Amino acid sequence: MPLNLTRLNVSIAQRDGGGPSIGTAFLDPLVRGEVTSITKKAPEPQDSYVETLRQVLEGFREPAILLSPDYGILAANGAYQRVYGTDRNGSGRTCFEASHGFRRPCDEAGESCPLRAALDSGHRERVLHVHHTEAGREHVDVELLPIRGEGGEIRYLIERLHHMPVSAPQAGSGGLVGRSKAFNAMLGLISRVAPSNASALLLGESGTGKELIARAIHEASPRQQSPFVPVECSGLTETLFESELFGHERGAFTGATSAKAGLVEAAAGGTLFLDEVGDIPLSQQVKLLRLLETHAYRRVGGVESRRADFRLVCATHRDLESMVRAGEFREDLYYRINTFPIDVPPLRERAEDIPLLVEALSERLDLAVPPRLADEALKILMRYPFPGNVRELRNILERAALLADGEAIRPEHLPDRVREGGQAPGGTGGLDGLLHPQSLRPLDEIEREYLRHAAAVYPGDRRALAKTLGISERSLYRRLRQLEGEAGEGH
């Protein structure tokens, strides 16, 4: 049966700017609609459709591949070949082999699988993954779009990969660092809101790195070449707020000996970040609301109306909904800034990121000798709840490094509160809480889950895996057959 690609309409407009069209009809690049069709008068062999879609892939600047429903790569564009080290046909690999080095599909290795989700829903699916590329591990926003045959069945899928330079799942990066499930969920939201002009509201405890996240949103946005202007709202009094935000004219008040541009003006074309927006005085909130609604303002003491052009990102550690109910925060302002809320997880909810953060923070500390952490000290940090979050972790490392005099940081170099708070096992570290779950689970269930993960991600052969797990090769094969039998029964 010939592939029904009527109105395939694949337009190759890129996220980073408009791109060329290929032929007369194209696919909107996984951001808007669904693939419908292009009717061909004379049926052609299946390979000809693959070749047609291969030309479509080459219109994308970002890595893109054509997949079969059984995960096989049928075609890869030049960008994908460069990043993942395959040939134009994917080197005979599956998507999970090329992207992760897995032996099994992502959903069998503890990851969400956009291909499986697209097959189940029949619609475009999108998820954030950590991929293994030629440059190392990278965060990637993965988009899958199904292409149907004449009978309505899904014949192919186009996968487009948007690599996120503002974050990294490994040390050595100056941006966001992490690869836990909680971190990746937050990063997935960042990848969705950043390309838009929507206001974002970062909600999280102090010390979680909200300004770093706001900067990442800015750097992943079309406004990245314009200024990023942070405003610490908790440090502004009522009398200073309006002057700092809008600027003032000469003689507007005592001490105003010259005109001064405000932070709104400084952020022209870029991003204005209001940190601790919940601390803005109630009397000044109406002025901020008016700015957001009209996109116009006047300097203090001025009569000229000025045009405001900025993207707004706000952050707070306070419960704004409770403040609205208590009459401490304007309801209309709350709904105006709460267009796209993002929950920033505390460090205790992403404990598995602690070793990675320790490595990254150690590189960023201004010390003659980067600190090293002994295993026992790391175990204590993994169990400590970190009420001060990443900021507290950085301070702990800097203090301990100075006490260690260039040697490895040992438990005695950590503050008393950390040693005491990190004695009893706790938290959700490990493989998605596998080793330290929130509630106890049957041992055979834990064993099956771990074995399924190990079989999917282990890069060596079965004999080496059995040796690593401390069991015989025969026992490993028996248990894997049992798992496959359970999976078959589940389907």
Side-chain angles (χ1 to χ4, degrees):
M1 180 182 296
L3 181 65
N4 183 6
L5 295 173
T6 47
R7 285 182 11 221
L8 180 58
N9 249 348
V10 179
S11 98
I12 312 292
Q14 301 291 320
R15 292 182 199 233
D16 51 351
S21 295
I22 298 180
T24 58
F26 292 76
L27 176 95
D28 196 359
L30 313 180
V31 204
R32 296 190 188 151
E34 310 232 343
V35 175
T36 50
S37 53
I38 288 176
T39 302
K40 291 194 176 283
K41 295 181 180 179
E44 297 180 18
Q46 179 173 330
D47 284 351
S48 68
Y49 299 120
V50 172
E51 288 305 313
T52 299
L53 291 170
R54 186 191 302 278
Q55 295 176 44
V56 170
L57 298 182
E58 289 301 339
F60 294 114
R61 293 192 184 94
E62 297 173 317
I65 51 177
L66 180 69
L67 295 170
S68 62
D70 60 355
Y71 307 95
I73 301 177
L74 303 175
N77 71 355
Y80 190 93
Q81 295 170 47
R82 289 190 297 274
V83 173
Y84 293 94
T86 72
D87 61 22
R88 65 195 301 266
N89 298 318
S91 301
R93 299 156 79 184
T94 61
C95 55
F96 52 84
E97 288 173 331
S99 300
H100 301 280
F102 289 171
R103 291 177 176 271
R104 293 173 179 266
C106 300
D107 53 339
E108 296 181 25
E111 294 260 18
S112 54
C113 177
L115 186 146
R116 172 53 53 193
L119 291 176
D120 291 342
S121 71
H123 303 295
R124 179 177 66 92
E125 297 289 343
R126 184 173 170 182
V127 70
L128 188 128
H129 274 180
V130 174
H131 281 189
H132 296 256
T133 71
E134 294 288 281
R137 289 183 173 181
E138 295 186 48
H139 284 120
V140 182
D141 187 8
V142 185
E143 295 177 275
L144 259 292
L145 185 72
I147 301 175
R148 297 181 182 277
E150 264 186 357
E153 78 284 3
I154 295 176
R155 295 284 298 278
Y156 303 113
L157 301 101
I158 287 182
E159 177 176 285
R160 183 180 175 190
L161 307 172
H162 174 59
H163 290 250
M164 300 189 63
V166 297
S167 64
Q170 57 193 2
S173 167
L176 303 175
V177 175
R179 53 174 175 254
S180 65
K181 181 174 288 187
F183 178 86
N184 286 347
M186 176 193 71
L187 198 59
L189 294 176
I190 291 173
S191 71
R192 288 177 180 269
V193 74
S196 75
N197 203 41
S199 298
L201 177 61
L202 309 179
L203 303 168
E205 298 175 7
S206 295
T208 49
K210 293 188 288 295
E211 181 172 343
L212 197 61
I213 294 166
R215 191 176 294 274
I217 292 174
H218 169 74
E219 291 176 354
S221 77
R223 296 174 176 265
Q224 59 181 299
Q225 299 301 324
S226 298
F228 173 82
V229 179
V231 183
E232 179 53 64
C233 298
S234 60
L236 296 178
T237 63
E238 286 192 39
T239 53
L240 279 177
F241 179 81
E242 191 173 3
S243 174
E244 286 295 308
L245 208 60
F246 303 135
H248 60 257
E249 299 291 356
R250 179 181 178 183
F253 49 82
T254 303
T257 56
S258 61
K260 177 186 175 183
L263 297 175
V264 169
E265 196 169 340
T271 300
L272 183 69
F273 172 53
L274 300 182
D275 198 9
E276 296 305 341
V277 68
D279 292 343
I280 295 177
L282 191 61
S283 61
Q284 301 300 313
Q285 291 176 20
V286 66
K287 296 175 181 177
L288 175 59
L289 178 63
R290 187 180 301 118
L291 168 69
L292 300 179
E293 294 289 353
T294 65
H295 303 286
Y297 67 98
R298 290 186 180 89
R299 288 181 177 178
V300 176
V303 294
E304 178 188 354
S305 180
R306 297 172 180 267
R307 186 72 180 168
D309 173 25
F310 61 85
R311 197 267 183 84
L312 180 68
V313 179
C314 298
T316 184
H317 74 282
R318 304 181 69 176
D319 185 347
L320 293 185
E321 287 189 15
S322 296
M323 294 179 66
V324 168
R325 290 192 294 270
E328 298 172 351
F329 199 86
R330 290 184 62 99
E331 184 176 23
D332 45 8
L333 178 58
Y334 171 69
Y335 288 117
R336 183 63 183 77
I337 66 175
N338 195 35
T339 305
F340 197 93
I342 298 176
D343 287 315
V344 181
L347 188 51
R348 62 182 173 276
E349 292 181 7
R350 44 180 297 217
E352 62 201 90
D353 282 339
I354 289 177
L356 182 61
L357 287 168
V358 167
E359 185 180 355
L361 291 172
S362 297
E363 293 175 356
R364 299 177 192 181
L365 290 174
D366 187 19
L367 297 173
V369 180
R372 295 177 294 109
L373 207 63
D375 290 344
E376 285 303 312
L378 179 59
K379 290 177 182 177
I380 291 174
L381 292 179
M382 290 285 288
R383 295 191 293 259
Y384 181 63
F386 284 100
N389 294 295
V390 180
R391 182 186 295 126
E392 183 183 13
L393 174 59
R394 180 189 177 99
N395 293 341
I396 288 170
L397 288 176
E398 188 166 15
R399 175 185 183 275
L402 294 173
L403 292 175
D405 290 327
E407 300 296 325
I409 295 173
R410 299 187 299 276
E412 58 265 29
H413 299 136
L414 301 176
D416 292 342
R417 72 178 190 283
V418 176
R419 291 200 303 273
E420 293 167 2
Q423 291 304 313
T428 57
L431 174 62
D432 296 332
L434 187 64
L435 302 181
H436 300 293
Q438 295 290 342
S439 57
L440 295 180
R441 298 162 58 189
L443 285 175
D444 60 342
E445 180 182 311
I446 296 289
E447 181 180 293
R448 286 198 303 273
E449 187 175 334
Y450 183 76
L451 187 59
R452 185 178 291 110
H453 170 78
V457 305
Y458 190 73
D461 57 25
R462 291 288 184 260
R463 178 177 298 178
L465 175 59
K467 183 177 180 181
T468 301
L469 295 176
I471 59 178
S472 68
E473 189 175 354
R474 183 176 179 181
S475 178
L476 174 62
Y477 273 103
R478 186 181 70 252
R479 296 186 189 191
L480 290 177
R481 282 197 300 270
Q482 289 174 349
L483 286 177
E484 291 171 358
E486 292 172 5
E489 293 172 5
H491 292 294

